[in-house]
Amino acid sequence: MANYALRVPESLFAYARQVAEEEQVSMNQFFVTAIAEKVSALKTETYFRERQARGDLAAFDAWLAASPDVPPAAGDALSD
């Protein structure tokens, strides 16, 4: 486990304290969870950007063209 002295604006810290109390977690747990959520969001964005770069639009168009042109199955239709 590592330690890091975090400098937080007083107004943000007060709000974080309030939310931590409402969630019934320690300030430490609140900050660790917030950091984990941010890291997860950034990693997810990176993952999808990498997937996008590997995508082949022509192959997708070919796949769509090969799909049968039939009405949607019962329950799959879009509502207006």
Side-chain angles (χ1 to χ4, degrees), residues 8-22 27 30-31:
V8 181
E10 193 61 44
S11 59
L12 181 58
F13 189 79
Y15 185 70
R17 177 180 287 138
Q18 177 186 350
V19 174
E21 287 174 3
E22 290 169 1
M27 289 293 289
F30 178 79
F31 284 122

